[in-house]
Amino acid sequence: MTSETNPPEIFDRQRRRALRERASRRQGDQFLWRHIAQDLGERLTFVTRAFEHALIIGPIADWQKDILPADMRCTHMPLISLGGADNTQKGIEEDRLPFPSASFDLVISAGTLDSVNDLPGALIQIRRILKPDGLFLGHMFGAGTLATLKSMFLESDADQVRPHMHPQIDLRSAADLIVRAGFALPVADQDVTEVRYSNWRGIVSDVRDAGIGNALAGPRAYLGKNAINRLDRIFAARADAHGKVPEYFTHLFLSGWAPSENQPRPAKRGSAQVSLADILSKNPES
C-alpha cells in the first residue's frame, strides 16, 4: 500500500546499484560520461562566483578533473557499495541524502537522476543541503534516449510487449520539477548525441558500460535465441548502405540556485517607469 508521502517504488534500488557496480568493472569506452563531464565543466566556467565545497553524486565523480578546479574541496557519493556487503553506503541514493542542511555550496548529480524513485523529493533534498546561493548542476538522460533500441525491441516483441528499458521524462517535465523543488533562477536545456552502430549488440554494450540499463522493479524480460535472431533481422533491415543504424542519447541539463536574499529578483508588477503602450504608440517618424 502506498500514500502520497510514500510514493511507489518504480525502480528496483538493488538492481539500480548493481547496474552501476557492473559498469565500474567494465573496460568499455565511457564516451557518454566524458560528454557529460565536459559539458558540466564548460557550464561552470561561465559562473563567476567561487565555490568552496562540492558534492558530486554518481559515477561522474570519476571525471572530477574535467569539471572542477584541482584545488576545490570535494565529497563523492558514488551510489555503489564499497568495502563489503555491510557497507553503510549501500542505502545512500539521491532521494535518501544523509547530509545536514547547508552542507555544500555546489552539488553536481549527473547521469543517474532518470532512475530515481522519488525525483521531486531528491531535488528538494539537494536544494536543502545547499548553502544559500549554492548552485545545483544536474543531468539526466531524457525522453528520446535509446529510441532506436526501444523501437527494435517493440517490433521484436510484437504482441508480447515487455519493458526492456525504463522510460525517461522530457525537457518540459524536467523544467517543471526543478521549479517545483524551489530553486531560484532555474534553467533546463537539452542536447542529443547521435552514435552510429554496426549492430544492436554494440548499443547494448555501451548501455552496460554506462550503467544506464533497465532498473525498473519487477521481473526481468530475458532474451531467448529467437528474439536475438529477430533483432538481427530488424537491425539489418534498418541499416544504411554502410551497414550503420543511428542511436540517440538525449541529455537534459538542469541548474538552479538555493534561494538567497542577495539574488536578483524580477521587478515588482507595476513598478515600470515607462508605459509599453506609450512606446508602441509613438510614431517612429516623429
Side-chain angles (χ1 to χ4, degrees), residues 86-239:
D86 60 346
N87 191 289
T88 56
Q89 283 195 346
K90 286 187 67 174
I92 298 179
E93 297 183 67
E94 296 93 327
D95 55 357
R96 295 178 175 177
L97 297 178
F99 308 103
S101 298
S103 294
F104 308 96
D105 52 9
L106 174 63
V107 174
I108 297 172
S109 180
T112 62
L113 288 172
D114 59 292
S115 59
V116 174
N117 273 299
D118 184 7
L119 180 54
L123 293 175
I124 290 171
Q125 290 190 43
I126 289 173
R127 178 178 57 77
R128 176 185 61 80
I129 65 174
L130 278 169
K131 297 177 181 178
D133 204 34
L135 175 64
F136 165 61
L137 285 180
H139 163 280
M140 68 179 76
F141 291 99
T145 295
L146 298 172
T148 298
L149 189 62
K150 289 176 182 177
S151 67
M152 288 180 59
F153 277 126
L154 187 64
E155 183 177 344
S156 175
D157 289 341
D159 296 332
Q160 298 180 350
V161 178
R162 296 165 293 182
H164 298 279
M165 297 293 301
H166 65 260
Q168 292 98 2
I169 67 174
D170 60 18
L171 178 62
R172 181 170 183 174
S173 298
D176 289 343
L177 284 174
I178 197 169
V179 171
R180 286 172 51 195
F183 285 97
L185 308 175
V187 176
D189 61 86
Q190 74 175 36
D191 70 54
V192 178
T193 299
E194 177 182 331
V195 185
R196 296 174 62 76
Y197 287 91
S198 299
N199 60 74
W200 64 270
R201 293 170 180 82
I203 307 175
V204 173
S205 179
D206 283 345
V207 168
R208 290 174 175 171
D209 288 340
I212 58 173
N214 182 10
L216 287 172
R220 306 263 67 83
Y222 294 102
L223 297 178
K225 183 177 180 181
N226 290 337
I228 291 174
N229 290 337
R230 287 196 298 271
L231 288 168
D232 285 338
R233 291 195 296 270
I234 292 169
F235 189 95
R238 298 186 181 197

